[in-house]
């Protein structure tokens, strides 16, 4: 049995609701008893199949049944943000059996609640009169990066989906959606947040004990639900809803949380790399390898002190040597995860230069894996278009000239051509500066 939820609330923009959606609205407005209308909604859709589009973007994973979901060991704190009572209360009632739910009627109220209280997840409407959902998402992530956000919209577009990715949304769901899939996405996001918290706790705990050897950290483990310990590298398998890629995102976000310059850097590198990979016709398999590598390329920086990573002035030779160690260190950190060899090679060589002047091995030209050459250019691009404590983000024209001037030296000229073409068409691709 597949249940679809048609959430009321499309009327503001003039689109009339109809069918069950219309009946639900009548149920809502005719009922005076608190919450009675939600029972009408649920009884109205139970045992009925409603055709309609449903799309879950950039999320995958196994769907699990409602009874199984109900047995989840962790109840998350969720904030449901929607200016319209229908969708807001529908989502609240759907999620109530599984999680603690609060609601907010506007972007401003949501931001206030997030400042005052602790939440694991926010479900966020895009079209709100006081503040657009993407702006709310951006501000949530500025305030509390660790909170997961699921965007729910009746008017999804490629542009808003790209912005959602860029600002770190967990998922982007268009209405009407399948209830089971929605519950699964929310539970998966909660699971990821929980893993994030646990990984962060383990890392800071071990660091406070002076353990900075990452192979030790990956193998020493974290408390499991039964009170024992499991290796950190296997911790993700306790969250069965999470894929390896989800776990990898958790790791990269843990790294980025310690350095304000790096917030969402790996997500942006992944996003832009994928645009280049598609333009260059890379196979699906190559794109999978590139995605994992893009998220993890700088994981080796996790062992480098904040003083060095955030230093405003020039690095001294010792500091520079330490920075140059991060590709090798990254490979060491990731060994327990048994990732494909291609991924480790890409991470190891993402600072090689096309002319052989890079590090760690001074590889040249096509000796450098293609995906490493792609990450090399995107990594530099993202650094140039991002604000730094010592300078503002550089202009796109300047960045394009700089990238072109490095063709054949630092960068592969073929990738420079593809990427500059993409950048000059950036309006249609929504490739904009990071912050
Ligand atoms: Fe790097």
């Amino acid at each position: 049995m597949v249940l679809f939820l048609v959430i009321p609330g499309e009327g503001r923009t003039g689109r009339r609701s109809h069918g069950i959606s219309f009946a639900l609205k009548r149920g809502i407005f005719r009922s005076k008893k608190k919450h009675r209308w939600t029972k009408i909604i649920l009884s109205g859709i139970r045992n009925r199949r409603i055709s309609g589009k449903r799309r879950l973007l950039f999320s995958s994973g196994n769907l699990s049944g409602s009874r199984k979901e109900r047995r989840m060991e962790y109840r998350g704190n969720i904030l449901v943000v929607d200016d319209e009572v229908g969708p807001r209360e529908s989502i609240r009632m759907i999620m109530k059996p599984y999680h603690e739910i609060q609601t907010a009627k506007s972007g401003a109220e949501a931001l206030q609640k997030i400042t005052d209280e602790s939440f694991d997840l926010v479900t966020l409407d895009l079209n709100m009169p006081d503040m657009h959902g993407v702006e709310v998402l951006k501000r949530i992530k500025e305030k509390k990066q660790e909170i997961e956000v699921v965007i729910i919209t009746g008017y999804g577009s490629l542009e808003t989906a790209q912005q959602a990715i860029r600002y770190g949304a967990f998922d982007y769901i268009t209405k009407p959606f399948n209830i089971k899939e929605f519950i699964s996405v929310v539970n998966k996001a909660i699971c990821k947040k929980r893993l994030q918290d646990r990984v962060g706790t383990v890392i800071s705990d071990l660091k406070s004990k002076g353990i900075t050897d990452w192979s030790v950290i990956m193998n020493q483990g974290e408390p499991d639900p039964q009170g024992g310990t499991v290796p950190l590298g296997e911790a993700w398998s306790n969250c069965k809803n999470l894929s390896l890629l989800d776990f990898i995102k958790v790791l990269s976000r843990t790294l980025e949380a310690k350095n304000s310059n790096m917030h969402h850097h790996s997500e942006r590198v992944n996003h832009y790399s994928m645009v280049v990979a598609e333009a260059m016709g890379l196979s699906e398999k190559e794109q999978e390898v590139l995605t994992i590598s893009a998220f993890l390329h700088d994981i080796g920086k996790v062992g480098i002190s904040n003083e060095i990573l955030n230093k405003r002035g020039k690095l001294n030779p010792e500091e520079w040597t330490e920075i140059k160690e991060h590709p090798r260190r990254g490979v060491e950190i990731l060994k327990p995860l048994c990732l494909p060899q291609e991924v480790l090679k890409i991470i190891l060589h993402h600072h090689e230069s096309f002319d052989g002047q890079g590090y760690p091995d001074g590889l040249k030209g096509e000796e450098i894996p293609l995906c490493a050459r792609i990450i090399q250019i995107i990594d530099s691009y993202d650094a140039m278009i991002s604000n730094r404590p010592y300078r503002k983000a550089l202009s796109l024209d300047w960045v394009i000239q700089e990238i072109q001037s490095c063709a054949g030296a630092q960068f592969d000229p073929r990738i420079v051509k593809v990427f500059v073409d993409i950048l000059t068409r950036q309006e249609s691709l929504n490739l904009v500066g990071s912050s």
Side-chain angles (χ1 to χ4, degrees):
M1 175 65 62
V2 178
L3 299 177
F4 285 93
L5 174 67
V6 179
I7 288 192
E10 313 295 357
R12 182 176 56 234
T13 53
R15 203 170 101 186
R16 293 278 300 177
S17 300
H18 55 277
I20 284 180
S21 174
F22 180 63
L24 298 183
K25 275 193 169 174
R26 290 178 59 194
I28 291 164
F29 294 117
R30 285 185 177 180
S31 172
K32 289 188 179 164
K33 280 190 182 171
K34 199 180 176 190
H35 305 320
R36 190 177 149 227
W37 63 270
T38 47
K39 288 180 187 159
I40 299 171
I41 290 174
L42 293 173
S43 64
I45 58 174
R46 204 160 280 144
N47 302 322
R48 299 177 78 158
R49 183 187 290 268
I50 303 165
S51 63
K53 65 172 181 175
R54 65 163 177 76
R55 282 183 296 145
L56 300 176
L57 298 182
F58 59 92
S59 174
S60 58
N62 299 329
L63 300 182
S64 34
S66 58
R67 258 176 292 163
K68 191 174 164 192
E69 301 286 356
R70 219 182 279 264
R71 287 203 304 267
M72 274 190 51
E73 62 188 87
Y74 183 75
R75 280 177 77 86
N77 288 320
I78 298 179
L79 180 64
V80 177
V81 186
D82 201 310
D83 60 306
E84 292 190 85
V85 65
R88 195 170 64 237
E89 287 300 314
S90 301
I91 293 170
R92 191 174 75 80
M93 291 305 285
I94 290 167
M95 298 313 306
K96 206 176 153 192
Y98 315 105
H99 302 288
E100 304 300 327
I101 312 293
Q102 291 197 48
T103 58
K105 300 183 188 71
S106 65
E109 187 186 352
L111 292 171
Q112 191 56 52
K113 284 199 166 177
I114 280 162
T115 308
D116 298 341
E117 296 170 56
S118 171
F119 291 98
D120 298 304
L121 173 77
V122 173
T123 69
L124 187 59
D125 179 33
L126 276 188
N127 297 308
M128 293 188 291
D130 73 322
M131 205 182 295
H132 192 268
V134 170
E135 182 60 26
V136 181
L137 164 67
K138 194 176 157 192
R139 293 200 198 176
I140 289 172
K141 291 290 180 178
E142 280 167 3
K143 276 177 187 283
K144 294 191 178 172
Q145 203 210 168
E146 70 280 6
I147 295 177
E148 297 294 351
V149 178
V150 173
I151 302 281
I152 302 173
T153 180
Y155 303 96
S157 66
L158 180 62
E159 188 187 356
T160 52
Q162 283 180 323
Q163 286 178 331
I165 298 169
R166 187 179 149 216
Y167 292 119
F170 179 81
D171 211 330
Y172 184 98
I173 299 175
T174 55
K175 302 173 198 171
F177 55 76
N178 175 306
I179 293 178
K180 272 175 71 177
E181 287 188 38
F182 174 68
I183 291 170
S184 183
V185 165
V186 167
N187 287 348
K188 198 173 148 198
I190 294 286
C191 207
K192 185 179 167 200
K193 167 68 168 46
R194 177 170 162 260
L195 180 61
Q196 175 97 35
D197 293 346
R198 293 163 83 187
V199 169
T201 306
V202 171
I203 290 170
S204 55
D205 191 38
L206 290 172
K207 281 194 158 185
S208 71
K209 291 174 187 160
I211 300 169
T212 52
D213 179 343
W214 273 78
S215 58
V216 173
I217 290 176
M218 292 300 284
N219 286 304
Q220 276 230 340
E222 55 147 6
D224 71 9
Q226 283 75 45
T229 59
V230 293
L232 199 54
E234 290 171 22
W236 65 276
S237 64
N238 282 340
C239 289
K240 294 187 173 52
N241 278 344
L242 292 183
S243 65
L244 177 61
L245 186 57
D246 290 318
F247 178 64
I248 279 164
K249 289 180 187 175
V250 166
L251 279 183
S252 68
R253 194 186 283 186
T254 306
L255 160 70
E256 289 166 7
K258 67 178 264 184
N259 185 339
S260 58
N261 291 338
M262 294 183 72
H263 285 179
H264 304 302
H265 168 70
S266 59
E267 278 171 51
R268 289 191 301 271
V269 170
N270 173 57
H271 176 56
Y272 303 137
S273 295
M274 285 300 117
V275 177
V276 170
E278 278 193 18
M280 294 182 72
L282 265 64
S283 69
E284 212 171 293
K285 174 83 179 33
E286 287 171 314
Q287 290 191 30
E288 276 173 24
V289 165
L290 179 56
T291 284
I292 295 175
S293 310
F295 273 106
L296 292 176
H297 69 283
D298 272 344
I299 195 83
K301 285 186 179 171
V302 79
I304 300 175
S305 72
N306 281 355
E307 289 72 43
I308 298 179
L309 289 177
N310 295 326
K311 190 170 177 181
R312 285 168 182 252
K314 239 182 156 185
L315 297 175
N316 65 38
E318 293 76 35
E319 292 166 338
W320 186 230
T321 304
E322 191 168 351
I323 288 280
K324 289 209 294 194
E325 270 301 301
H326 81 270
R328 282 194 201 287
R329 202 175 275 175
V331 171
E332 285 304 310
I333 288 169
L334 295 170
K335 268 186 185 161
L337 286 183
C338 300
L339 293 169
Q341 279 303 309
E342 299 103 292
V343 170
L344 299 183
K345 276 189 185 165
I346 293 163
I347 291 167
L348 181 63
H349 296 300
H350 76 275
H351 281 288
E352 306 286 0
S353 286
F354 199 72
D355 60 4
Q357 299 300 306
Y359 64 88
D361 292 335
L363 298 189
K364 247 185 194 174
E366 302 208 347
E367 291 171 353
I368 308 163
L370 174 62
C371 291
R373 280 178 268 151
I374 294 175
I375 290 177
Q376 156 81 299
I377 187 166
I378 303 295
D379 196 17
S380 304
Y381 165 76
D382 191 61
M384 289 188 277
I385 60 152
S386 298
N387 288 323
R388 288 286 183 264
Y390 48 89
R391 66 152 169 81
K392 284 270 174 209
L394 302 165
S395 75
L396 186 63
D397 286 344
W398 192 94
V399 170
I400 289 175
Q401 274 188 22
E402 181 66 16
I403 288 173
Q404 284 176 320
S405 73
C406 294
Q410 188 178 352
F411 305 133
D412 180 341
R414 189 166 63 109
I415 303 172
V416 167
K417 186 173 180 329
V418 171
F419 190 46
V420 167
D421 279 354
I422 290 167
L423 289 176
T424 50
R425 288 185 287 115
Q426 70 154 342
E427 277 173 31
S428 61
L429 288 160
N430 196 32
L431 284 176
V432 290
S434 70
S435 56

